[in-house]
Amino acid sequence: MATQTIDDLPTPALILDRAILRRNLKRMSERLLSAGVMLRPHLKTAKSVEIGRMAVEGHDGRITVSTLAEARYFADGGFNDILYGVGIIPSKLGAVTELRRRGVNLRIVTDNLSVAKAIAAAAKDGDTFSVFIEIDSGGGRAGLPFPALPGLLDIARVLHEVPGVDLAGVMTHAGHSYHQSTPDGIAAVAEQERLAIVTAAEKLREAGIPCPIVSAGSTPTAVHSRDFTGITEMRPGVYVFNDLDQEYIGACGAGDIALSVVASVIGHYPHRNQLLVDAGALALSKDISAQEFQPKVGYGTIADPPAAGMAVIECSQEHGFVAADDPLPYGNLPIGARVRILPNHACITAAAYDRYYVVDSDLDGGRSVVDVYDRINGW
Amino acid sequence: MATQTIDDLPTPALILDRAILRRNLKRMSERLLSAGVMLRPHLKTAKSVEIGRMAVEGHDGRITVSTLAEARYFADGGFNDILYGVGIIPSKLGAVTELRRRGVNLRIVTDNLSVAKAIAAAAKDGDTFSVFIEIDSGGGRAGLPFPALPGLLDIARVLHEVPGVDLAGVMTHAGHSYHQSTPDGIAAVAEQERLAIVTAAEKLREAGIPCPIVSAGSTPTAVHSRDFTGITEMRPGVYVFNDLDQEYIGACGAGDIALSVVASVIGHYPHRNQLLVDAGALALSKDISAQEFQPKVGYGTIADPPAAGMAVIECSQEHGFVAADDPLPYGNLPIGARVRILPNHACITAAAYDRYYVVDSDLDGGRSVVDVYDRINGW
């Protein structure tokens, strides 16, 4: 059978460039190793065992996940130090225990005293838990807000005093790094992130409570941080693929986006200088985060565009509206022609697909499908 | 085993209220039957054989789909008059033929002369096709723009003159009805839609080309149209569930939303009058269409809220940020409490899930899970 190329795939389909992926993984791994920081990649972006294994090369195999479905999937794939990075609730402890009884060190997160007490109570039945306390380093999502860190010692003591509970450490995520667009701006957020999490760790240690892991990280802060002192691990996620949002905030270069959606041209509308592709809201997602710094990005730009400024400017469920600054070259883009669309936000776009068609731009410009990786969706 | 309730489900999960669904289906079916118009529901919203069967009760079983995966799924479910409503391209004709050889009348759509010629060429090999010509009645998505209808007769002649091709008729979708928020405004769009599609049909007939099916429809125009003269079938989709967008534009009432996402409270943040739920961008989608008429809807509002104006105002991948006009009643919403979130845009929210947990508000207020319906995603 002839080699399959991206021109043979049913569209829309998700394309992963392995050459770019490997460069992204290597760059982050080397950066953190040279800083003496372990990498616990957040696999909520990739959701793929194959990519996870590549991501932890040179490190000790620890990972982060965002759902219990991911935890089970990566445990089945042989990972055994997994941080479930979304605040735990008592009704999910049974699923955690199920995995831990299989020998997987599935670690959980809380910022709430009542939950800490529920974990402690559950541990009394003989089961064990490994728990991080979450700190809000300024992003305003989850965690005890810095600098007050209200209740930190109360929560820590409840967890520390129960024999079956391992208080693994403290963790934070500087989500506000996504709203900076200069290296200096991101570095300033990274320093806030570091200060918050190291302060929380020190506060525990001063109270006589061990805090072995000090966990931080987003892709932008991992890329632009100038000081990792006191941090033991970083948890970047989207760096594995990168996307237009990461490019516009300066966390990656234009050639570092490994993910794209291949779509077919399905309609020509010269009276409005537009064409339609068969990738719409479901194939691209309606995430427009990159528009914060580049409004013309729409729902994604066209890779290797035959006209300047080609982007998907609007979507309905299965239709993407492509427009451009230049007149569209319809002759070069006949009905059925393929275009690749770079994602606005890779994590959300990828979630529409159950597999990656893997190409390699170092081999033949990325035309042939050299592998297929699966991924886990849902909860 | 005890009956499962929505409090027992892993969260986030997709909940469908069968009582509301049945009322929505009945209302639309009766409205169209009384107008003498056949219903070809657009099952891109439900993507479920069970719901599809309920939707066509009293009609002749014709349906609309938006992907080839849906076409195969509904064909497997026994449907045999299926309109694939997204512009066809030559490379997809093989998949169409495969289903047609199984005896399914899978009908396709084009607005392009080169595609019409490709269909005609493919039909010369002995295979047959059934084709609609798409008309743009003002929405500015796909179709020949009205009133010029450029190329209509050329395309029609190519299709009509080939023995293996059935020129089924003309179709349009008044997507611009979604941007009106009064019955009069929607009725005016419905009249544009009707005028465009009936004119196209007449133009064909005047040229001696039969045009048996005159197909229009969106949920808003199906609800508020005041004249169906000349239209033979309507293709509403989201009416099966309705959503906040449909409510705000006046295409349904507040009690007509059959779909919701059940989520768990995972964090309390009284210093900013917020809490977090475990339904974020992937569980709710980042579709914010309803914000056109109600900015405070965010990514969805809370059903039966214990405080006024509760909505998911922001999302990260797995975190939803809930805020309210009133101070949040944390005591009534402890960590682990369940809330149901009404979708901003039902079609896009539902696509994140592989099943519906069916409840029935006429039986016990919608607490017990009375059935599970599957759905088809992807392409």
Side-chain angles (χ1 to χ4, degrees), chain B residues 305-353:
Chain B
M310 281 180 71
V312 180
I313 60 158
E314 201 180 324
C315 283
S316 58
Q317 185 163 336
E318 301 291 354
H319 296 81
F321 296 65
V322 175
D325 295 336
D326 289 351
L328 285 173
Y330 294 101
N332 295 336
L333 291 166
I335 304 291
R338 303 287 171 112
V339 294
R340 282 191 313 116
I341 302 164
L342 299 175
N344 197 309
H345 184 173
C347 314
I348 313 295
T349 295
Y353 299 86

Side-chain angles (χ1 to χ4, degrees), chain B residues 164-207:
Chain B
V165 178
D166 161 41
L167 177 54
V170 287
M171 60 87 83
T172 191
H173 167 68
H176 51 321
S177 63
Y178 278 60
H179 304 295
Q180 299 290 327
S181 65
T182 63
D184 282 354
I186 295 173
V189 171
E191 181 56 17
Q192 286 176 12
E193 182 182 41
R194 190 189 72 81
L195 192 66
I197 201 67
V198 171
T199 301
E202 287 307 318
K203 199 169 166 181
L204 293 183
R205 290 167 185 152
E206 283 162 15

Side-chain angles (χ1 to χ4, degrees), chain B residues 51-74:
Chain B
I51 298 168
R53 288 187 188 129
M54 294 163 73
V56 300
E57 274 172 28
H59 294 263
D60 65 357
R62 65 181 80 176
I63 61 170
T64 317
V65 301
S66 67
T67 68
L68 288 168
E70 285 170 52
R72 285 185 282 264
Y73 166 82
F74 285 106

Side-chain angles (χ1 to χ4, degrees), chain A residues 155-239:
Chain A
I155 296 171
R157 284 198 188 99
V158 165
L159 296 170
H160 178 56
E161 284 166 7
V162 175
V165 177
D166 161 41
L167 176 56
V170 287
M171 61 87 82
T172 190
H173 167 69
H176 51 320
S177 63
Y178 278 59
H179 305 295
Q180 298 290 325
S181 65
T182 64
D184 282 353
I186 295 173
V189 171
E191 181 56 17
Q192 286 174 11
E193 184 182 39
R194 190 190 72 80
L195 193 65
I197 201 67
V198 170
T199 301
E202 287 307 320
K203 198 169 166 181
L204 294 183
R205 290 168 185 150
E206 283 162 15
I209 301 169
C211 181
I213 307 181
V214 182
S215 179
S218 65
T219 288
T221 56
V223 168
H224 288 299
S225 172
R226 290 165 190 164
D227 182 6
F228 291 102
T229 307
I231 290 175
T232 69
E233 68 175 29
M234 292 290 283
R235 304 187 321 279
V238 69
Y239 78 100

Side-chain angles (χ1 to χ4, degrees), chain B residues 147-165:
Chain B
L149 301 173
L152 174 66
L153 293 180
D154 294 334
I155 296 171
R157 285 197 188 99
V158 166
L159 296 170
H160 178 56
E161 285 166 6
V162 175
V165 178

